[in-house]
Amino acid sequence: MTSETDFLIIGSGIAGLSCALKLSQFGSVALVTKKHKAESNTNYAQGGIASVFDPGDSYVQHTQDTLTAGAGLCHQDAVRLIVEEGPTRVKELFELGVRFTKTKEGRFDLGIEGGHRAHRIVHVKDHTGKDVETALLEAVKQEPNIHVHEHHAAIDLITEHQVFYPHPPSQAQLHCWGAYVLDSNEGIVKKFLAKATIIATGGCGQVYLHSTNPKIATGDGVAICYRAGAPIANMEFMQFHPTTLFHPEANSFLISEAVRGFGAVLVNKKGESFMEKYHEMASLAPRDIVARSIDTEMKKTGDLCVYLDISHKDPAQVKDRFPLIYENCLRYKIDITKEPIPVVPAAHYACGGVVTDLKGRTSIKGLFACGEVAFTGVHGANRLASNSLLEALVFAHHASLEASEFVRDVHPDFQVIPRWDDSGTFNNEEWVLIAHDALEIKNLMWDYVGIVRSNLRLERALSRIRLIRHEVENYYRRTRVTEGIIELRNLAVVAQLIIQSALLRKESRGLHYTTDYPQKNDELFLQDTIIQRADF
Ligand code: FAD
Ligand code: SIN
């Protein structure tokens, strides 16, 4: 089966849905998403969206906080863009029906999170993401120009590689004409052809054993674009959220940084506050510093977790401000109004991704990327809390403007694009192989490529991942494609990209800390780490 539209969007989080809404004004949109349409990182976002609304705040201050967190690597033009356009994009969400929490005076109730020196987090209590996702999906449902395909997983992009195999043109001449997509319900691979394709597949937290991210976050977009030849940047900067619930059944449930913004304090088993030892902003220091300090404390004491204490605050206010967190902790018999919450860090956010310019363009013509999958330069070596939803909104806007222009002058000949060829493959029911390899990757990344790294661990990780990738690629080529094998193949690519990027950065900066080079080295490393497939 073949779909032909003006635009193909891959992913139904904040980036994909915002893009779809805007592009539907210019042409037909096919949106594919690999699970139920609401399943995304966006749906689980808690803290909110950083943007300047307080009269005492300023664009300069928000920019400065972002640059400070980013430890010298933020691209200033990209930061200025998200900061200055933030209020307009947030108001668009409000107009779509997102009921952001307001004060008694009718202004946005602005929270504060780590690294911010002003109250600027617009939120819907502690379930901002769910409300944003719901409002966007509702708006998309009303648009006749948008066709959403659930349980459709993109496998690879369609470029000259497929048309002129095995002699594609050089990287500089590549175009993207859509993607091969697995319809998981039917078990068939379809061609989704389009004049412009927007990758909005989100992050890759699932490459680690413990992550705040839902199961969909397997780094598909980064792996797909890497295979197509697009440059990938700064994958070593994987952000670990400092505070996720420490409980064997809680699946690294996030305890929002907004809880610390509301007055919660990080303490050890004895109830002693420890963050003052590490940073002047104590529990509200930037995320890389807090996560690393917790790691250090745990290693020093041998304790399996630290604690986040909000029990000194008014219980009614705590329950009203954090209903989701309160209820979820209670499920595990922790009453956050009465006792400290056991917490540990977990993998949370990819600061790196597919390189784009300020218009969301990748190096491949007709291919755009926005949201967590993209590397826009905003976050540098460490993302400032709640800048991610903001970045996704602003860059989805620009990518849609640019893509709508791009399609005006494109007249592709879709007839030449071959159908998916799965001859010579067989059905394999060896689920245990996929599950085992995925777990091996996650363990490897957690143990060797975590918050604190070293040459020895990274080199060991690299040799292991090369073996795994080799096995997985062989298996992929021989087997009829399934969602499990697509994700495993992508996890392996993303893991290798993270390890290789980490090995290239022989210094410590932001989220990348290595015991072999514990200092920052501006002379050699005040630059992005870019990796591209060697055979281009
Ligand atoms: P996502 O929302 O993850 O959407 C990606 C979509 O792509 C999904 O629909 C997925 O199914 C689909 N997809 C993936 N691969 C494929 C494929 N191969 N084929 C088809 N579809 C595919 N950021 C903030 O700014 N503020 C916060 O308060 C905040 N809280 C967070 C809390 C949690 C628990 C988490 C996990 C993240 C949080 N973040 C927060 C980060 C933020 O939520 C994400 O960075 C952001 O939502 C990413 O949006 P996105 O649209 O790029 O990707
Ligand atoms: C949180 O609520 O702590 C998450 C915010 C973010 O990831 O930006």
Side-chain angles (χ1 to χ4, degrees), residues 193-209:
L193 304 173
K195 294 177 186 169
T197 300
I198 293 92
I199 290 266
T201 49
C204 61
Q206 283 296 323
V207 80
Y208 284 91
L209 190 61

Side-chain angles (χ1 to χ4, degrees), residues 465-482:
I465 197 69
R466 280 189 169 137
L467 272 178
I468 297 173
R469 258 196 85 193
H470 183 68
E471 273 174 28
V472 170
E473 276 300 323
N474 270 338
Y475 185 66
Y476 170 78
R477 296 202 179 284
R478 289 184 287 113
T479 314
R480 197 148 295 159
V481 72
T482 62

Side-chain angles (χ1 to χ4, degrees), residues 83-389:
V83 166
E84 291 174 12
E85 271 190 26
T88 310
R89 304 278 85 85
V90 170
K91 280 184 206 149
E92 283 175 359
L93 282 183
F94 185 71
E95 277 151 23
L96 273 187
V98 183
R99 290 289 149 249
F100 292 115
T101 305
K102 290 199 170 172
T103 62
K104 283 194 207 100
E105 295 76 37
R107 292 194 208 101
F108 286 146
D109 177 53
L110 300 171
I112 189 164
E113 293 176 358
H116 289 273
R117 288 174 197 264
H119 283 260
R120 63 168 76 98
I121 318 295
V122 183
H123 62 95
V124 187
K125 296 192 186 263
D126 60 353
H127 44 79
T128 312
K130 195 172 185 52
D131 287 44
V132 168
E133 182 75 18
T134 307
L136 287 168
L137 281 172
E138 194 47 45
V140 161
K141 204 158 97 186
Q142 310 302 327
E143 265 308 329
N145 254 357
I146 307 175
H147 194 161
V148 177
H149 303 261
E150 291 177 292
H151 304 285
H152 277 61
I155 306 168
D156 268 320
L157 297 172
I158 299 173
T159 62
E160 279 79 355
H161 286 97
Q162 281 80 16
V163 183
F164 300 110
Y165 180 81
H167 302 296
S170 76
Q171 165 66 16
Q173 292 159 332
L174 283 182
H175 294 78
C176 176
W177 304 121
Y180 290 110
V181 177
L182 172 71
D183 174 342
S184 310
N185 288 338
E186 299 290 326
I188 52 173
V189 177
K190 302 173 178 173
K191 274 192 290 186
F192 275 78
L193 304 173
K195 294 177 186 169
T197 300
I198 293 92
I199 290 266
T201 49
C204 61
Q206 283 296 323
V207 80
Y208 284 91
L209 190 61
H210 303 292
S211 172
T212 63
N213 293 190
K215 296 266 180 271
I216 53 101
T218 47
D220 295 3
V222 166
I224 286 171
C225 291
Y226 170 76
R227 280 194 293 270
I232 308 294
N234 285 6
M235 291 302 289
E236 69 272 36
F237 297 120
M238 189 71 203
Q239 185 169 69
F240 288 76
H241 197 290
T243 56
T244 70
L245 185 58
F246 178 66
H247 187 284
E249 285 157 32
N251 264 333
S252 304
F253 173 73
L254 186 79
I255 309 294
S256 174
E257 221 160 274
V259 178
R260 273 176 280 142
F262 198 72
V265 179
L266 280 162
V267 296
N268 60 21
K269 199 160 69 181
K270 294 185 203 145
E272 298 159 348
S273 164
F274 58 81
M275 273 310 299
E276 294 74 10
K277 284 189 288 187
Y278 298 96
H279 196 272
E280 58 182 29
M281 291 175 87
S283 289
L284 275 178
R287 213 170 263 183
D288 55 335
I289 291 159
V290 181
R292 209 156 42 241
S293 308
I294 293 176
D295 188 68
T296 307
E297 285 291 310
M298 282 165 47
K299 281 182 179 143
K300 256 196 321 210
T301 58
D303 293 339
L304 296 177
C305 65
V306 296
Y307 297 85
L308 187 62
D309 195 357
I310 187 90
S311 63
H312 53 283
K313 297 293 272 192
D314 174 26
Q317 279 182 11
V318 171
K319 286 187 215 171
D320 178 58
R321 176 66 179 81
F322 303 107
L324 180 77
I325 295 171
Y326 173 74
E327 286 298 334
N328 209 48
C329 288
L330 211 52
R331 229 194 279 164
Y332 300 106
K333 311 237 174 318
I334 300 159
D335 183 344
I336 68 169
T337 64
K338 297 199 172 102
E339 61 197 307
I341 314 164
V343 290
V344 283
H348 183 60
Y349 183 84
C351 293
V354 183
V355 176
T356 62
D357 64 10
L358 294 185
K359 295 175 173 179
R361 291 181 292 205
T362 70
S363 64
I364 298 174
K365 290 181 191 64
L367 179 66
F368 300 78
C370 54
E372 190 167 339
V373 69
F375 168 81
T376 62
V378 162
H379 308 303
N382 174 39
R383 174 176 68 97
L384 185 67
S386 288
N387 263 355
S388 168
L389 294 172

